Amino acid sequence: MSPPVAGWAAGEGPPEPRRPSEVIPARRLLRRLVAVVAEPTTPQQRLDKIVRMIAADLVAEVCSVYVQRAGDFLELFATEGLAREAVHRTRLRVGEGLVGTIAATGDLINTSDAQNHPNFAYRPETREEIYNSFLGVPILRSGRVVGVLTIQNTARRLYGEDEIDAMQIIASVLAEMFASGGLLDRERYADLGGFVPERRRLEALRLVEGVAIGRAWLHEPRIEITRLLADDPAAERVRLEEAMVALRSSLDRMLARADLASGEHREVLEAYRMFADDTGWLRRIREAIDTGLSAEAAVRRVQEQTRVRIGHAADPVLKERLLDLDDLANRLLLHLAGRSTVHDPSSVPEDCILIARSLSAAELIEYDRAKLKGIILEEGSKTAHVTIVARALDVPLVGRVSGAMTLFEPGDPVALDAENGIVFLRPSEDVLQAFARTVQARNERRRQLAALKDAPAVTRDGVEIWVGINAAFLADLPALDETGAMGIGLFRTELGFMTRPSWPTVEEQSAFYRRILELAGDRRVVFRTLDIGSDKHLPYWRAPAEDNPALGWRAIRVGLDRPALLRGQLRALLTAASGRSLALMFPMVAEVAEFEAARRLLEQERDRLAASGVAPPARLEVGVMFEVPALYWQLEALLPKVDFVSIGSNDLLQFLFACDRGNPALAERYDVLAPAALAFLRDLVERCRARGVPLTLCGEMASRPLEAMALVGIGIRRLSLAPSEIGSVKAMIRSLEASRLADYLAPLLALPDRSLRRRLAAWALDHGVVLPPGQSIPT
């Protein structure tokens, strides 16, 4: 509840004269409170002294501190004015009594008649029946109520705004002092619910399957407040204003990025930027500084109040705005501390579970994959580029974990079950042991699947499936031998550009592509030319502003409008493949004319190299990525001109359903196993087969065994997928009768159903098709 207007209850007498110095906690009080922690006494003695000091300075007859303990109850830990024998004896459940109500709601209570308050709960051992006035405020830490601070008086009165402010400031200082361990005997009270972090079980959206155990690492660092008080409020205000200028400048630079220059996401970010000028938010911080807090402690105090409101916000719009304020407070604290807004990715510890609000593909690539065990996002979707890269790196990933950046503390133990979409924060020993067994079982399953690496990918009725991998780095090439893959069906050349500080020269590109071909040996490698744009940005190249980057200037459109860039890459590829076989394809082609224009540039580069005496590739195959639905109605003109077609199912289905794959709100709205999607793909298969043009699918669909099974059922015979999923997909293929599945699936494609997922999973179960545990049960 909000505090009532200060004043006297109706019918009561005038207040006793009170000097401001008796009401407002002078800076000397705050300093004395902090100094108590350093005294060579026991934690209990320090806390006892603190409540006496607060009572004296606020002219209160009673001052008490309640601490939340495990089991959701609050215990009286210290008091001045109540019966001493009630200390460590009086307990109230969260939600019980005035103190329990404050703990449950995170709001203060200010009343002139405590015993007639509807939430009052009497505890006779306290002997508090003589006190009428009551003011209680929450002690907040990391967005949670960890205790309650109260004052009481016999005279009936509402406490004034100055007294409320004083209590809230004192409570914020106490929270930091509690966290430091100076006021609570941790050895004696090891179960303190507010300070021993609680265990949590969190639901999440499955993005990349896997199981991991590790420790939390925040993508954006959190600032610990080491200096609570300041001698010079004016100087702290100056520090605050300088940090605000730096914060606003950083936000303006973010908004100036070309990819964020327009569109709906631009409006969201502009609203976020406006919060940096929120007068009410800044006023509360300045007022906290005026009480004697440092600028950092003042920001943290306002942030803790915001976090409590987040926990109780039912309106999603309000909650999102409060989350923005919380994020701004984090950024402001970083500026006050003079620190970067993100960690150095190279400094992550071993067994890292990365926690982030959102993450781009480029940011993920910067992390050491050997140390990265899992990723937890507040946002995220199944076909976002960061999901694709995480799957390629074989890193378990979940999304849609609300408030993750607030819930997780750096170093917290985490058990991540990305198979079932569950995260255990600070798990018990039993849970950790169960996860260890699961990891062991998963590793054993992988060893069993690895035994299939030399086995052919042939169905039980003799249908051979070409199974290759998707790759982007030299480090991906060993997977060819490790998995028994037949080649690389998609080599994403743009990811190598994204990890460089500057545009690579033609010579550097050529050396890189040559090494790829050497490592692949006689296995086919299909290079995709640069697919930059949308959410894949190069740090050294600024693209123009767009309303909708996913449908904008990207991929082949960039290459044709900036032919020097595309020609340079084509020259590098042709040079690298001198005397070898070369297969390349152009992405995001929307019309035959675009393919023909790109093909002409390729021929020009081939003629140029021939004139300079460079031997051409022994064999050259040129294909197209089928991602834009409009190309379907141009197949009669296109197919005679291409050597192969590769379906990019991620973008194709995004465009087919008019569904932004990076939008978390739409992450599960449409299913790739919808009859409409499968029917569209089946028709594409049949038209390519009729023309004798090889067709491969290299999107995320191929990396999930159930989806891959459906693709085989509609006639696709070439799959390129994440290396980590080769074993599972091959096991599925070898246990499948493709003809029986095709007969079953054909009539289903005319159904009006949203998805065929449950039907296909049930069919697989009935017919002994081997699927991973997470996909064998219909969902």
Side-chain angles (χ1 to χ4, degrees), residues 663-702:
N663 186 337
L666 302 177
E668 295 190 300
R669 188 176 188 90
Y670 302 102
D671 195 342
V672 296
L673 295 181
L678 293 176
F680 183 81
L681 293 175
R682 181 204 56 190
D683 291 348
L684 178 59
V685 169
E686 292 178 350
R687 295 184 68 179
C688 287
R689 183 178 294 156
R691 283 285 188 170
V693 176
L695 176 70
T696 304
L697 188 139
C698 59
E700 286 297 285
M701 282 185 76

Short mmCIF file of all heavy atoms in Angstrom, two decimals, residues 663-702:
data_model
loop_
_atom_site.label_atom_id
_atom_site.label_comp_id
_atom_site.label_asym_id
_atom_site.label_seq_id
_atom_site.Cartn_x
_atom_site.Cartn_y
_atom_site.Cartn_z
N ASN A 663 11.36 -12.52 -32.70
CA ASN A 663 10.41 -11.95 -31.75
C ASN A 663 10.02 -13.01 -30.72
O ASN A 663 9.35 -13.99 -31.07
CB ASN A 663 9.16 -11.46 -32.50
CG ASN A 663 8.19 -10.71 -31.60
OD1 ASN A 663 8.21 -10.89 -30.39
ND2 ASN A 663 7.36 -9.88 -32.19
N PRO A 664 10.41 -12.83 -29.44
CA PRO A 664 10.09 -13.86 -28.44
C PRO A 664 8.60 -14.13 -28.30
O PRO A 664 8.19 -15.24 -27.99
CB PRO A 664 10.68 -13.27 -27.15
CG PRO A 664 11.71 -12.29 -27.59
CD PRO A 664 11.20 -11.72 -28.88
N ALA A 665 7.77 -13.11 -28.54
CA ALA A 665 6.33 -13.29 -28.39
C ALA A 665 5.75 -14.24 -29.43
O ALA A 665 4.67 -14.80 -29.24
CB ALA A 665 5.62 -11.93 -28.48
N LEU A 666 6.48 -14.45 -30.53
CA LEU A 666 5.99 -15.33 -31.60
C LEU A 666 6.78 -16.63 -31.66
O LEU A 666 6.63 -17.40 -32.62
CB LEU A 666 6.10 -14.60 -32.94
CG LEU A 666 5.33 -13.29 -33.07
CD1 LEU A 666 5.58 -12.65 -34.43
CD2 LEU A 666 3.85 -13.49 -32.85
N ALA A 667 7.60 -16.88 -30.64
CA ALA A 667 8.53 -18.01 -30.69
C ALA A 667 7.83 -19.34 -30.93
O ALA A 667 8.36 -20.21 -31.62
CB ALA A 667 9.36 -18.06 -29.40
N GLU A 668 6.63 -19.52 -30.38
CA GLU A 668 5.95 -20.80 -30.51
C GLU A 668 4.58 -20.67 -31.16
O GLU A 668 3.76 -21.56 -31.06
CB GLU A 668 5.82 -21.46 -29.12
CG GLU A 668 7.16 -21.83 -28.51
CD GLU A 668 7.00 -22.68 -27.27
OE1 GLU A 668 6.35 -22.20 -26.32
OE2 GLU A 668 7.49 -23.81 -27.26
N ARG A 669 4.36 -19.55 -31.83
CA ARG A 669 3.03 -19.34 -32.41
C ARG A 669 2.79 -20.24 -33.62
O ARG A 669 1.69 -20.75 -33.81
CB ARG A 669 2.87 -17.87 -32.81
CG ARG A 669 1.46 -17.52 -33.23
CD ARG A 669 1.29 -16.05 -33.51
NE ARG A 669 -0.09 -15.70 -33.74
CZ ARG A 669 -0.94 -15.32 -32.81
NH1 ARG A 669 -0.54 -15.26 -31.56
NH2 ARG A 669 -2.19 -15.01 -33.10
N TYR A 670 3.81 -20.40 -34.45
CA TYR A 670 3.68 -21.23 -35.64
C TYR A 670 4.67 -22.40 -35.57
O TYR A 670 5.75 -22.27 -34.99
CB TYR A 670 3.92 -20.41 -36.91
CG TYR A 670 2.99 -19.23 -37.02
CD1 TYR A 670 3.42 -17.95 -36.71
CD2 TYR A 670 1.67 -19.41 -37.42
CE1 TYR A 670 2.55 -16.87 -36.79
CE2 TYR A 670 0.80 -18.34 -37.51
CZ TYR A 670 1.25 -17.06 -37.19
OH TYR A 670 0.39 -16.00 -37.27
N ASP A 671 4.30 -23.51 -36.15
CA ASP A 671 5.13 -24.71 -36.08
C ASP A 671 5.63 -25.07 -37.48
O ASP A 671 4.86 -25.07 -38.44
CB ASP A 671 4.31 -25.88 -35.49
CG ASP A 671 5.18 -27.04 -35.06
OD1 ASP A 671 6.35 -27.12 -35.50
OD2 ASP A 671 4.69 -27.88 -34.29
N VAL A 672 6.91 -25.42 -37.58
CA VAL A 672 7.46 -25.83 -38.87
C VAL A 672 6.84 -27.12 -39.36
O VAL A 672 6.95 -27.45 -40.56
CB VAL A 672 9.00 -25.98 -38.79
CG1 VAL A 672 9.64 -24.64 -38.48
CG2 VAL A 672 9.40 -27.01 -37.75
N LEU A 673 6.19 -27.86 -38.45
CA LEU A 673 5.52 -29.09 -38.84
C LEU A 673 4.04 -28.86 -39.13
O LEU A 673 3.23 -29.79 -39.08
CB LEU A 673 5.70 -30.17 -37.76
CG LEU A 673 7.14 -30.64 -37.56
CD1 LEU A 673 7.20 -31.73 -36.49
CD2 LEU A 673 7.74 -31.15 -38.86
N ALA A 674 3.69 -27.63 -39.44
CA ALA A 674 2.32 -27.33 -39.87
C ALA A 674 2.05 -27.97 -41.24
O ALA A 674 2.96 -28.05 -42.08
CB ALA A 674 2.12 -25.82 -39.95
N PRO A 675 0.84 -28.46 -41.49
CA PRO A 675 0.54 -29.04 -42.81
C PRO A 675 0.87 -28.10 -43.96
O PRO A 675 1.40 -28.54 -44.99
CB PRO A 675 -0.97 -29.32 -42.72
CG PRO A 675 -1.23 -29.50 -41.27
CD PRO A 675 -0.31 -28.54 -40.57
N ALA A 676 0.60 -26.81 -43.78
CA ALA A 676 0.85 -25.86 -44.87
C ALA A 676 2.34 -25.80 -45.20
O ALA A 676 2.73 -25.78 -46.38
CB ALA A 676 0.34 -24.48 -44.47
N ALA A 677 3.19 -25.77 -44.17
CA ALA A 677 4.63 -25.69 -44.40
C ALA A 677 5.15 -26.96 -45.07
O ALA A 677 5.92 -26.91 -46.04
CB ALA A 677 5.36 -25.44 -43.07
N LEU A 678 4.73 -28.11 -44.58
CA LEU A 678 5.20 -29.38 -45.15
C LEU A 678 4.68 -29.58 -46.57
O LEU A 678 5.39 -30.10 -47.44
CB LEU A 678 4.78 -30.54 -44.25
CG LEU A 678 5.46 -30.58 -42.87
CD1 LEU A 678 4.90 -31.73 -42.04
CD2 LEU A 678 6.97 -30.71 -43.01
N ALA A 679 3.45 -29.15 -46.81
CA ALA A 679 2.90 -29.28 -48.17
C ALA A 679 3.67 -28.39 -49.15
O ALA A 679 3.94 -28.79 -50.29
CB ALA A 679 1.41 -28.91 -48.16
N PHE A 680 4.01 -27.20 -48.72
CA PHE A 680 4.78 -26.28 -49.56
C PHE A 680 6.14 -26.90 -49.90
O PHE A 680 6.58 -26.90 -51.05
CB PHE A 680 4.95 -24.95 -48.85
CG PHE A 680 5.67 -23.90 -49.66
CD1 PHE A 680 5.00 -23.16 -50.61
CD2 PHE A 680 7.02 -23.65 -49.47
CE1 PHE A 680 5.66 -22.20 -51.37
CE2 PHE A 680 7.69 -22.70 -50.21
CZ PHE A 680 7.00 -21.97 -51.17
N LEU A 681 6.82 -27.45 -48.89
CA LEU A 681 8.12 -28.07 -49.11
C LEU A 681 8.00 -29.31 -50.01
O LEU A 681 8.86 -29.55 -50.86
CB LEU A 681 8.75 -28.44 -47.77
CG LEU A 681 9.16 -27.26 -46.86
CD1 LEU A 681 9.65 -27.78 -45.52
CD2 LEU A 681 10.22 -26.41 -47.53
N ARG A 682 6.95 -30.10 -49.82
CA ARG A 682 6.76 -31.28 -50.65
C ARG A 682 6.61 -30.90 -52.12
O ARG A 682 7.20 -31.54 -53.01
CB ARG A 682 5.54 -32.07 -50.19
CG ARG A 682 5.30 -33.34 -51.01
CD ARG A 682 3.86 -33.77 -50.95
NE ARG A 682 2.95 -32.70 -51.39
CZ ARG A 682 1.63 -32.75 -51.25
NH1 ARG A 682 1.06 -33.80 -50.68
NH2 ARG A 682 0.87 -31.75 -51.68
N ASP A 683 5.84 -29.85 -52.39
CA ASP A 683 5.66 -29.42 -53.77
C ASP A 683 6.98 -28.94 -54.37
O ASP A 683 7.28 -29.18 -55.55
CB ASP A 683 4.63 -28.30 -53.85
CG ASP A 683 3.22 -28.79 -53.52
OD1 ASP A 683 3.03 -30.03 -53.47
OD2 ASP A 683 2.34 -27.95 -53.30
N LEU A 684 7.80 -28.29 -53.56
CA LEU A 684 9.11 -27.83 -54.02
C LEU A 684 10.01 -29.04 -54.34
O LEU A 684 10.72 -29.05 -55.36
CB LEU A 684 9.76 -26.95 -52.95
CG LEU A 684 11.16 -26.42 -53.24
CD1 LEU A 684 11.16 -25.58 -54.51
CD2 LEU A 684 11.67 -25.59 -52.07
N VAL A 685 9.96 -30.05 -53.49
CA VAL A 685 10.72 -31.29 -53.72
C VAL A 685 10.33 -31.90 -55.05
O VAL A 685 11.19 -32.29 -55.87
CB VAL A 685 10.49 -32.29 -52.57
CG1 VAL A 685 11.05 -33.67 -52.93
CG2 VAL A 685 11.10 -31.79 -51.27
N GLU A 686 9.05 -32.01 -55.29
CA GLU A 686 8.57 -32.67 -56.51
C GLU A 686 8.96 -31.89 -57.76
O GLU A 686 9.32 -32.48 -58.79
CB GLU A 686 7.06 -32.85 -56.42
CG GLU A 686 6.65 -33.85 -55.35
CD GLU A 686 5.15 -34.00 -55.22
OE1 GLU A 686 4.41 -33.18 -55.84
OE2 GLU A 686 4.70 -34.90 -54.49
N ARG A 687 8.94 -30.57 -57.71
CA ARG A 687 9.28 -29.78 -58.88
C ARG A 687 10.77 -29.85 -59.18
O ARG A 687 11.18 -29.91 -60.34
CB ARG A 687 8.82 -28.34 -58.69
CG ARG A 687 7.30 -28.21 -58.59
CD ARG A 687 6.85 -26.78 -58.50
NE ARG A 687 7.09 -26.06 -59.76
CZ ARG A 687 6.76 -24.79 -59.94
NH1 ARG A 687 6.14 -24.12 -58.97
NH2 ARG A 687 7.01 -24.19 -61.09
N CYS A 688 11.60 -29.87 -58.12
CA CYS A 688 13.05 -30.01 -58.33
C CYS A 688 13.38 -31.41 -58.86
O CYS A 688 14.23 -31.57 -59.75
CB CYS A 688 13.81 -29.74 -57.04
SG CYS A 688 13.84 -28.00 -56.55
N ARG A 689 12.71 -32.41 -58.31
CA ARG A 689 12.95 -33.79 -58.76
C ARG A 689 12.57 -33.95 -60.23
O ARG A 689 13.28 -34.62 -61.00
CB ARG A 689 12.16 -34.76 -57.88
CG ARG A 689 12.39 -36.23 -58.23
CD ARG A 689 11.61 -37.11 -57.28
NE ARG A 689 12.12 -36.98 -55.91
CZ ARG A 689 11.41 -37.22 -54.81
NH1 ARG A 689 10.15 -37.61 -54.92
NH2 ARG A 689 11.95 -37.08 -53.62
N ALA A 690 11.48 -33.34 -60.64
CA ALA A 690 11.04 -33.44 -62.03
C ALA A 690 12.05 -32.83 -62.99
O ALA A 690 12.18 -33.27 -64.14
CB ALA A 690 9.68 -32.76 -62.20
N ARG A 691 12.79 -31.83 -62.54
CA ARG A 691 13.79 -31.17 -63.37
C ARG A 691 15.18 -31.78 -63.19
O ARG A 691 16.14 -31.34 -63.84
CB ARG A 691 13.85 -29.69 -63.01
CG ARG A 691 12.71 -28.88 -63.58
CD ARG A 691 12.92 -28.66 -65.07
NE ARG A 691 11.93 -27.73 -65.62
CZ ARG A 691 12.01 -27.22 -66.84
NH1 ARG A 691 13.03 -27.56 -67.61
NH2 ARG A 691 11.09 -26.41 -67.29
N GLY A 692 15.31 -32.74 -62.26
CA GLY A 692 16.60 -33.35 -62.01
C GLY A 692 17.59 -32.46 -61.30
O GLY A 692 18.80 -32.62 -61.44
N VAL A 693 17.09 -31.52 -60.50
CA VAL A 693 17.96 -30.59 -59.76
C VAL A 693 18.07 -31.06 -58.32
O VAL A 693 17.06 -31.18 -57.62
CB VAL A 693 17.39 -29.15 -59.80
CG1 VAL A 693 18.25 -28.21 -58.96
CG2 VAL A 693 17.31 -28.65 -61.23
N PRO A 694 19.28 -31.34 -57.83
CA PRO A 694 19.45 -31.78 -56.44
C PRO A 694 18.94 -30.73 -55.46
O PRO A 694 19.13 -29.52 -55.65
CB PRO A 694 20.97 -31.96 -56.30
CG PRO A 694 21.47 -32.14 -57.70
CD PRO A 694 20.56 -31.30 -58.56
N LEU A 695 18.29 -31.20 -54.41
CA LEU A 695 17.69 -30.31 -53.41
C LEU A 695 18.19 -30.72 -52.02
O LEU A 695 18.11 -31.89 -51.64
CB LEU A 695 16.17 -30.40 -53.47
CG LEU A 695 15.39 -29.60 -52.42
CD1 LEU A 695 15.51 -28.11 -52.69
CD2 LEU A 695 13.93 -30.02 -52.39
N THR A 696 18.68 -29.74 -51.25
CA THR A 696 19.15 -29.95 -49.89
C THR A 696 18.40 -29.02 -48.96
O THR A 696 18.02 -27.91 -49.35
CB THR A 696 20.67 -29.65 -49.78
OG1 THR A 696 21.37 -30.45 -50.71
CG2 THR A 696 21.19 -29.94 -48.37
N LEU A 697 18.15 -29.45 -47.72
CA LEU A 697 17.61 -28.54 -46.71
C LEU A 697 18.70 -28.35 -45.65
O LEU A 697 19.21 -29.33 -45.08
CB LEU A 697 16.34 -29.08 -46.08
CG LEU A 697 15.64 -28.05 -45.16
CD1 LEU A 697 14.12 -28.09 -45.36
CD2 LEU A 697 15.99 -28.24 -43.71
N CYS A 698 19.06 -27.08 -45.40
CA CYS A 698 20.16 -26.81 -44.46
C CYS A 698 19.74 -25.91 -43.31
O CYS A 698 20.59 -25.33 -42.64
CB CYS A 698 21.34 -26.18 -45.20
SG CYS A 698 20.95 -24.63 -46.05
N GLY A 699 18.44 -25.79 -43.05
CA GLY A 699 17.99 -24.97 -41.93
C GLY A 699 17.89 -25.76 -40.64
O GLY A 699 18.28 -26.93 -40.55
N GLU A 700 17.35 -25.11 -39.61
CA GLU A 700 17.26 -25.73 -38.29
C GLU A 700 16.36 -26.97 -38.29
O GLU A 700 16.51 -27.84 -37.43
CB GLU A 700 16.72 -24.71 -37.28
CG GLU A 700 17.72 -23.65 -36.87
CD GLU A 700 18.91 -24.26 -36.16
OE1 GLU A 700 18.78 -24.64 -34.98
OE2 GLU A 700 19.98 -24.37 -36.79
N MET A 701 15.41 -27.06 -39.22
CA MET A 701 14.54 -28.23 -39.27
C MET A 701 15.34 -29.52 -39.37
O MET A 701 14.98 -30.54 -38.78
CB MET A 701 13.60 -28.15 -40.48
CG MET A 701 12.42 -27.23 -40.32
SD MET A 701 11.32 -27.34 -41.75
CE MET A 701 10.49 -28.91 -41.40
N ALA A 702 16.43 -29.48 -40.13
CA ALA A 702 17.21 -30.70 -40.34
C ALA A 702 17.96 -31.15 -39.10
O ALA A 702 18.38 -32.31 -39.01
CB ALA A 702 18.21 -30.47 -41.48
#
